[in-house]
Amino acid sequence: MASNMSDELRTGALVYHRGATATGARARPGKLEIQATKPLGNQRDLALAYSPGVAAACEAIYDDPAQAAELTIRQNLVAVLTNGTAVLGLGNIGPLAGKPVMEGKAVLFKKFAGIDVFDIEVAETDAKRLIEVVCALEPTFGGINLEDIKAPECFEVEEACRARMGIPVFHDDQHGTAIIVTAAIVNGLELAGKALPSVKIVTSGAGAAALACLNLLVTLGAKRENIWVTDIEGVVFEGRESLMDRWKSVYAQKTDARTLAEVIPGADVFLGLSAGGVLKPAMVASMADKPMILALANPTPEIMPDEARKASPGAMICTGRSDFPNQVNNVLCFPYIFRGALDVAASEINEEMKAAAVRAIAALAREPSSDVVSRAYGGETRLFGPDSLIPSPFDPRLILRIAPAVARAAMESGVAKRPIEDLRAYEDQLNRFVFRSGFVMKPVFTAARAAPKRVIYADGEDERALRAAQVAIEEGIAVPVLIGRPHVIDVRARRYGLTFKPGVDVEIINPEDDKRYRDYVALYLERAGRRGVNPDRARTVVRTNTTVIAALALQRGDADAMICGLEGRFRNHLRYIDQVIGLGPEAPDYSTLSLLISGRGAYFLTDTYVTPDPTAQSIADCAILCARSVERFGLTPKIALLSHSNFGSDDTPSAEKMREALAILRRTAPGLEVDGEMMGDVAVTPILRDRLLPNSTLSGVANLLVFPNLDAANIATQLIKALADALPVGPILVGAAKPAHILTPSVTARGVVNMTAVAVVESQVAGPGSAA
């Protein structure tokens, strides 16, 4: 047995699975581990988790089995199960050799849908005995994902298990492929102007995936009399006895044709799930106009895309390979189908749920692609068309479209044992999973939608700003103003598949030609004339520096908030904002607040970008201003003044500075919940804090962490972001007279959107000027 891969890829894959590190050290082999979700730090924890406390959970489930969903992991736990008889393109390699594939499937479930998985490899090839093994697992799992079981045994196993079990049993090789293929065909036929009931479909291959594709297509309207199936023995015809079974016989045609070449002429759709090279160019040339060719054999398709296009220039082509457009990849759907099914405790995944997934995937492909997708493809923007019939596996919106559609279909078809009462709230929950900023940002977005403001983007030609403007319009959080050349913005917006119209949906300020130029120059001289800016310099800067233009627009009232910093150094941007906008009346100086959202929660860190070595008074002033910003997120600030010292344990200058800052805060802002000086772990671990100072004036976990200097704050921010895979929001500039924010070059489009909402809410608080 040998797979077709390069030596380099083979070596890298083995190193990856062994877990060798860059230093040569060995990490834990494989791709999975089990982590406790509850604390196990003392004897009481053990008593709650195991004996004797666990008996309470057992008794509750015995009295009411539905309680298992509330007291155990079962409702979020799926078995990925195989007997290794049809693994990927490797064939019958057995269950042990198939284990790396099952581990891979498990991490995809977790990564894309937050579903936990036990991979189960069963040494059993007899279908009846395998059925007994699978059915016996029902108490453990909320769903079963059958994987890599050869046909026709896979049909028998799934059919019997679905009939006997009260949880979803889903053979992904069949149905996952079928759902994506059908979505691609739906979109391809729409582009070709054809209707599913009238098209001729020809397959090469009659295994589990091919037959599942045909069954789903028939469910959605394809006619059996228009479907022609071929396999290694040739055409599936009435009366054929060789390599036939009851599932394949459904598609037997009354015909004298015996080969693929004889049935392919006039076909609108070719579905290949067989072997490389079986579809010849001459066969493609004989197909109908604008044919769909799904050549899904791996690693060599039934026909290479370039050959198919030479034979039929209008052909729309899908493959199973990632190096060609329109990759049919099961990760597009299986995590999200299970997510929706588990969340309503569906007893099965039925045809209605699969059809709902098809429609959701097809519809998503027609939407403009997200920045996440663009980055995953090296900056390429994917627009709906012949080369983009299905979404990218990296599109974060897949779960937001598929899971609710599947859950809704389960409820409407009567298989949901625990229906979702509020689907909108469920969608919000999924949104929080996708972007991780959803929960913390939700109050901010809600407030922004209530009274949108005009937000000006200094880097208006940047892809991230353009995408943020599109989202701001769609979500109704702001009225975007873009600084940039109109023709460049228009071309790039169309390139990225964005639908807003420059000058209509968004206002444009053109640095090269704007009627307000003279007014802006005069205002710049007024604001910066005594800070080294002469008239010639002012005229040049107002033509060339978009941060200055944005600040002037904000100062004049042409915008309500500004965002800059997608390029260039933070301090340079701050200098221009200071020249034009200046400090607010209650702000002695500028500071920044960085929000980091991790699996443990949301933490605000300050001052992360501005003051290298602040005084105690500056630290106190900064804490007060930052606390107000935290409140805009709907949170009560809990402030920890950080140090290497705990409550007087050291008398170094920095520790004394933080102690002095605490004294100032208690005098000037007695209503704030604050304490210090303390170490970082003491700030976020109440148990530790209670041991050191039981009467601390800080309760619970601190959410506003104030550092003694810029080095500590910035280093902590970058380390937490990297090591904890925390999502950053900000930096949020604090102290400016008007809402002005300087982002960093590493920010994503979603980060710009988040800061847009923050800026809008800040503008609402600052005063009038709501956008119409």
mmCIF file of all heavy atoms in Angstrom, residues 448-471:
data_model
loop_
_atom_site.group_PDB
_atom_site.id
_atom_site.type_symbol
_atom_site.label_atom_id
_atom_site.label_comp_id
_atom_site.label_asym_id
_atom_site.label_seq_id
_atom_site.Cartn_x
_atom_site.Cartn_y
_atom_site.Cartn_z
ATOM 1 N N ALA A 448 -24.753 50.341 19.349
ATOM 2 C CA ALA A 448 -24.381 50.993 18.091
ATOM 3 C C ALA A 448 -25.546 50.978 17.100
ATOM 4 O O ALA A 448 -25.805 51.967 16.413
ATOM 5 C CB ALA A 448 -23.155 50.314 17.494
ATOM 6 N N ARG A 449 -26.260 49.854 17.022
ATOM 7 C CA ARG A 449 -27.382 49.766 16.079
ATOM 8 C C ARG A 449 -28.497 50.730 16.451
ATOM 9 O O ARG A 449 -29.250 51.181 15.593
ATOM 10 C CB ARG A 449 -27.933 48.339 16.063
ATOM 11 C CG ARG A 449 -27.022 47.316 15.408
ATOM 12 C CD ARG A 449 -27.723 45.976 15.239
ATOM 13 N NE ARG A 449 -26.761 44.943 14.893
ATOM 14 C CZ ARG A 449 -26.235 44.086 15.762
ATOM 15 N NH1 ARG A 449 -26.600 44.133 17.028
ATOM 16 N NH2 ARG A 449 -25.364 43.177 15.373
ATOM 17 N N ALA A 450 -28.621 51.035 17.733
ATOM 18 C CA ALA A 450 -29.707 51.910 18.181
ATOM 19 C C ALA A 450 -29.543 53.333 17.662
ATOM 20 O O ALA A 450 -30.539 54.028 17.438
ATOM 21 C CB ALA A 450 -29.768 51.903 19.714
ATOM 22 N N ALA A 451 -28.303 53.780 17.472
ATOM 23 C CA ALA A 451 -28.069 55.150 16.983
ATOM 24 C C ALA A 451 -26.752 55.184 16.227
ATOM 25 O O ALA A 451 -25.727 55.621 16.746
ATOM 26 C CB ALA A 451 -28.043 56.138 18.151
ATOM 27 N N PRO A 452 -26.730 54.706 14.969
ATOM 28 C CA PRO A 452 -25.486 54.654 14.206
ATOM 29 C C PRO A 452 -24.865 56.039 14.012
ATOM 30 O O PRO A 452 -25.580 57.048 13.932
ATOM 31 C CB PRO A 452 -25.911 54.059 12.859
ATOM 32 C CG PRO A 452 -27.219 53.400 13.124
ATOM 33 C CD PRO A 452 -27.872 54.192 14.203
ATOM 34 N N LYS A 453 -23.551 56.076 13.917
ATOM 35 C CA LYS A 453 -22.810 57.318 13.708
ATOM 36 C C LYS A 453 -21.944 57.201 12.459
ATOM 37 O O LYS A 453 -21.733 56.110 11.911
ATOM 38 C CB LYS A 453 -21.924 57.615 14.920
ATOM 39 C CG LYS A 453 -22.668 57.732 16.242
ATOM 40 C CD LYS A 453 -23.448 59.023 16.323
ATOM 41 C CE LYS A 453 -24.084 59.192 17.689
ATOM 42 N NZ LYS A 453 -24.782 60.475 17.823
ATOM 43 N N ARG A 454 -21.439 58.344 12.026
ATOM 44 C CA ARG A 454 -20.536 58.356 10.878
ATOM 45 C C ARG A 454 -19.122 58.061 11.355
ATOM 46 O O ARG A 454 -18.555 58.811 12.147
ATOM 47 C CB ARG A 454 -20.574 59.720 10.192
ATOM 48 C CG ARG A 454 -21.926 60.103 9.608
ATOM 49 C CD ARG A 454 -22.002 61.594 9.347
ATOM 50 N NE ARG A 454 -21.893 62.336 10.592
ATOM 51 C CZ ARG A 454 -21.704 63.646 10.670
ATOM 52 N NH1 ARG A 454 -21.590 64.361 9.569
ATOM 53 N NH2 ARG A 454 -21.617 64.236 11.837
ATOM 54 N N VAL A 455 -18.565 56.952 10.877
ATOM 55 C CA VAL A 455 -17.210 56.556 11.252
ATOM 56 C C VAL A 455 -16.314 56.685 10.028
ATOM 57 O O VAL A 455 -16.603 56.099 8.979
ATOM 58 C CB VAL A 455 -17.165 55.115 11.796
ATOM 59 C CG1 VAL A 455 -15.734 54.696 12.111
ATOM 60 C CG2 VAL A 455 -18.041 54.990 13.041
ATOM 61 N N ILE A 456 -15.230 57.440 10.169
ATOM 62 C CA ILE A 456 -14.329 57.660 9.046
ATOM 63 C C ILE A 456 -13.122 56.751 9.176
ATOM 64 O O ILE A 456 -12.516 56.635 10.244
ATOM 65 C CB ILE A 456 -13.902 59.147 8.958
ATOM 66 C CG1 ILE A 456 -13.115 59.390 7.666
ATOM 67 C CG2 ILE A 456 -13.126 59.596 10.183
ATOM 68 C CD1 ILE A 456 -12.942 60.879 7.345
ATOM 69 N N TYR A 457 -12.804 56.064 8.093
ATOM 70 C CA TYR A 457 -11.661 55.146 8.040
ATOM 71 C C TYR A 457 -10.537 55.841 7.282
ATOM 72 O O TYR A 457 -10.654 56.098 6.077
ATOM 73 C CB TYR A 457 -12.034 53.848 7.337
ATOM 74 C CG TYR A 457 -13.153 53.077 8.000
ATOM 75 C CD1 TYR A 457 -14.472 53.245 7.578
ATOM 76 C CD2 TYR A 457 -12.905 52.189 9.038
ATOM 77 C CE1 TYR A 457 -15.514 52.543 8.172
ATOM 78 C CE2 TYR A 457 -13.939 51.480 9.638
ATOM 79 C CZ TYR A 457 -15.237 51.664 9.205
ATOM 80 O OH TYR A 457 -16.260 50.966 9.794
ATOM 81 N N ALA A 458 -9.437 56.127 7.994
ATOM 82 C CA ALA A 458 -8.312 56.813 7.349
ATOM 83 C C ALA A 458 -7.710 55.962 6.243
ATOM 84 O O ALA A 458 -7.280 56.486 5.209
ATOM 85 C CB ALA A 458 -7.250 57.154 8.389
ATOM 86 N N ASP A 459 -7.685 54.638 6.438
ATOM 87 C CA ASP A 459 -7.103 53.730 5.437
ATOM 88 C C ASP A 459 -8.219 53.165 4.568
ATOM 89 O O ASP A 459 -8.434 51.953 4.501
ATOM 90 C CB ASP A 459 -6.328 52.614 6.150
ATOM 91 C CG ASP A 459 -5.264 53.163 7.080
ATOM 92 O OD1 ASP A 459 -4.248 53.653 6.586
ATOM 93 O OD2 ASP A 459 -5.470 53.114 8.317
ATOM 94 N N GLY A 460 -8.918 54.046 3.885
ATOM 95 C CA GLY A 460 -10.125 53.657 3.178
ATOM 96 C C GLY A 460 -9.916 52.784 1.967
ATOM 97 O O GLY A 460 -10.883 52.205 1.460
ATOM 98 N N GLU A 461 -8.690 52.665 1.484
ATOM 99 C CA GLU A 461 -8.422 51.788 0.348
ATOM 100 C C GLU A 461 -7.983 50.398 0.789
ATOM 101 O O GLU A 461 -7.873 49.495 -0.031
ATOM 102 C CB GLU A 461 -7.341 52.406 -0.552
ATOM 103 C CG GLU A 461 -7.764 53.714 -1.202
ATOM 104 C CD GLU A 461 -6.649 54.316 -2.059
ATOM 105 O OE1 GLU A 461 -5.573 53.696 -2.164
ATOM 106 O OE2 GLU A 461 -6.859 55.409 -2.621
ATOM 107 N N ASP A 462 -7.721 50.216 2.077
ATOM 108 C CA ASP A 462 -7.265 48.935 2.607
ATOM 109 C C ASP A 462 -8.419 47.929 2.586
ATOM 110 O O ASP A 462 -9.560 48.263 2.888
ATOM 111 C CB ASP A 462 -6.754 49.126 4.036
ATOM 112 C CG ASP A 462 -6.066 47.888 4.589
ATOM 113 O OD1 ASP A 462 -6.786 46.920 4.931
ATOM 114 O OD2 ASP A 462 -4.830 47.890 4.686
ATOM 115 N N GLU A 463 -8.105 46.678 2.224
ATOM 116 C CA GLU A 463 -9.136 45.646 2.143
ATOM 117 C C GLU A 463 -9.898 45.515 3.457
ATOM 118 O O GLU A 463 -11.122 45.343 3.470
ATOM 119 C CB GLU A 463 -8.504 44.298 1.780
ATOM 120 C CG GLU A 463 -9.500 43.146 1.745
ATOM 121 C CD GLU A 463 -8.853 41.803 1.466
ATOM 122 O OE1 GLU A 463 -7.639 41.762 1.179
ATOM 123 O OE2 GLU A 463 -9.566 40.793 1.542
ATOM 124 N N ARG A 464 -9.187 45.594 4.590
ATOM 125 C CA ARG A 464 -9.849 45.414 5.888
ATOM 126 C C ARG A 464 -10.844 46.531 6.163
ATOM 127 O O ARG A 464 -11.934 46.299 6.696
ATOM 128 C CB ARG A 464 -8.790 45.334 6.986
ATOM 129 C CG ARG A 464 -7.927 44.071 6.889
ATOM 130 C CD ARG A 464 -6.659 44.227 7.717
ATOM 131 N NE ARG A 464 -5.770 45.243 7.159
ATOM 132 C CZ ARG A 464 -4.602 45.594 7.703
ATOM 133 N NH1 ARG A 464 -4.200 45.019 8.829
ATOM 134 N NH2 ARG A 464 -3.836 46.496 7.133
ATOM 135 N N ALA A 465 -10.488 47.753 5.799
ATOM 136 C CA ALA A 465 -11.419 48.865 5.979
ATOM 137 C C ALA A 465 -12.627 48.713 5.064
ATOM 138 O O ALA A 465 -13.770 48.988 5.461
ATOM 139 C CB ALA A 465 -10.709 50.189 5.715
ATOM 140 N N LEU A 466 -12.402 48.274 3.833
ATOM 141 C CA LEU A 466 -13.503 48.082 2.891
ATOM 142 C C LEU A 466 -14.471 47.003 3.385
ATOM 143 O O LEU A 466 -15.691 47.155 3.330
ATOM 144 C CB LEU A 466 -12.953 47.716 1.515
ATOM 145 C CG LEU A 466 -12.131 48.803 0.810
ATOM 146 C CD1 LEU A 466 -11.452 48.235 -0.431
ATOM 147 C CD2 LEU A 466 -13.010 49.988 0.437
ATOM 148 N N ARG A 467 -13.909 45.900 3.865
ATOM 149 C CA ARG A 467 -14.765 44.830 4.378
ATOM 150 C C ARG A 467 -15.500 45.286 5.639
ATOM 151 O O ARG A 467 -16.670 44.947 5.848
ATOM 152 C CB ARG A 467 -13.934 43.587 4.670
ATOM 153 C CG ARG A 467 -13.384 42.900 3.417
ATOM 154 C CD ARG A 467 -12.726 41.579 3.750
ATOM 155 N NE ARG A 467 -12.153 40.932 2.587
ATOM 156 C CZ ARG A 467 -12.835 40.211 1.711
ATOM 157 N NH1 ARG A 467 -14.143 40.043 1.867
ATOM 158 N NH2 ARG A 467 -12.218 39.639 0.688
ATOM 159 N N ALA A 468 -14.808 46.037 6.491
ATOM 160 C CA ALA A 468 -15.459 46.550 7.702
ATOM 161 C C ALA A 468 -16.606 47.485 7.344
ATOM 162 O O ALA A 468 -17.669 47.463 7.981
ATOM 163 C CB ALA A 468 -14.438 47.259 8.579
ATOM 164 N N ALA A 469 -16.407 48.309 6.307
ATOM 165 C CA ALA A 469 -17.475 49.210 5.866
ATOM 166 C C ALA A 469 -18.692 48.417 5.396
ATOM 167 O O ALA A 469 -19.841 48.765 5.699
ATOM 168 C CB ALA A 469 -16.961 50.113 4.749
ATOM 169 N N GLN A 470 -18.450 47.330 4.658
ATOM 170 C CA GLN A 470 -19.552 46.488 4.193
ATOM 171 C C GLN A 470 -20.326 45.915 5.374
ATOM 172 O O GLN A 470 -21.559 45.944 5.413
ATOM 173 C CB GLN A 470 -19.008 45.343 3.333
ATOM 174 C CG GLN A 470 -20.066 44.380 2.818
ATOM 175 C CD GLN A 470 -20.889 44.955 1.683
ATOM 176 O OE1 GLN A 470 -20.330 45.545 0.776
ATOM 177 N NE2 GLN A 470 -22.200 44.789 1.737
ATOM 178 N N VAL A 471 -19.610 45.379 6.365
ATOM 179 C CA VAL A 471 -20.268 44.789 7.528
ATOM 180 C C VAL A 471 -21.006 45.859 8.329
ATOM 181 O O VAL A 471 -22.122 45.637 8.812
ATOM 182 C CB VAL A 471 -19.243 44.062 8.418
ATOM 183 C CG1 VAL A 471 -19.890 43.574 9.716
ATOM 184 C CG2 VAL A 471 -18.628 42.891 7.667
#
